[in-house]
Amino acid sequence: MEVVLAHSEHLEEVSALFDRYRMFYQQPSDLDNARLFIRDRLQKGDSKIFLAINLPAARQSQREQVTGFTQLYPSFSSVSMKPIWILNDLFVAEDYRQQGVAKLLIGAAANFARETGAVRIALSTQISNITAQSLYESLGYVQDEDFYHYALSMYT
């Protein structure tokens, strides 16, 4: 298994996983718009997408399999005057869960954040997603107790 930064040649694989990620959050499948969304992110460079790729033992007999992804968006801390990366999306295909793929992806994200001089990685997850919370906490992420986080929906 290796983790790589996604490029345009990964569009189809990332789009398929992204569509499944959205379905995990009770959104209807929409592969065409998922493809457009991911294509825009890759072309505009306004996010960084890391892919976990399962490398076959015999490269001639099998194709590489994209098994998961994480997507980071840039932001900034005004107080520290340094960049922040928002880990917005993390998804591992069902057949590859509980095999350390998510840890590899989060590790790659952390290395990237360090390399870019970021002060931190921020993330959020659903209150009901205990599995993700356990993973994040096992990797040293702590629940923010200093700030309340609010959101204003643009849909009524």
Side-chain angles (χ1 to χ4, degrees), residues 21-92:
Y21 165 77
R22 291 183 68 255
M23 290 167 48
F24 177 83
Y25 284 103
Q26 291 78 47
Q27 298 300 307
S29 177
D30 188 349
L31 187 55
D32 290 338
N33 279 320
R35 187 179 296 109
L36 291 173
F37 183 83
I38 295 298
R39 185 200 68 199
D40 285 351
R41 301 296 67 74
L42 293 171
Q43 286 180 349
K44 293 177 181 179
D46 54 8
S47 75
K48 298 297 180 186
I49 303 171
F50 291 91
L51 304 176
I53 300 177
N54 189 24
L55 301 172
R59 286 196 180 259
Q60 297 82 8
S61 63
Q62 294 180 334
R63 236 187 100 183
E64 294 177 348
Q65 176 73 32
V66 177
T67 62
F69 80 96
T70 191
Q71 184 164 207
L72 303 174
Y73 290 99
S75 187
F76 296 91
S77 166
S78 298
V79 173
S80 68
M81 298 183 294
K82 294 189 182 227
I84 295 171
W85 287 99
I86 300 169
L87 194 156
N88 204 69
D89 310 315
L90 176 66
F91 182 78
V92 175

Side-chain angles (χ1 to χ4, degrees), residues 1-3 17 21 50-54 66-72 87 89-111 121 123 125 129 131-141:
M1 193 78 59
E2 74 175 1
V3 176
L17 282 177
Y21 165 77
F50 291 91
L51 304 176
I53 300 177
N54 189 24
V66 177
T67 62
F69 80 96
T70 191
Q71 184 164 207
L72 303 174
L87 194 156
D89 310 315
L90 176 66
F91 182 78
V92 175
E94 293 82 359
D95 292 347
Y96 292 92
R97 291 182 183 161
Q98 302 299 316
Q99 296 180 33
V101 176
K103 284 183 181 180
L104 282 174
L105 288 164
I106 293 172
N111 288 338
I121 294 175
L123 62 83
T125 191
N129 194 343
T131 302
Q133 293 169 35
S134 296
L135 171 65
Y136 300 141
E137 290 170 8
S138 77
L139 296 173
Y141 287 76

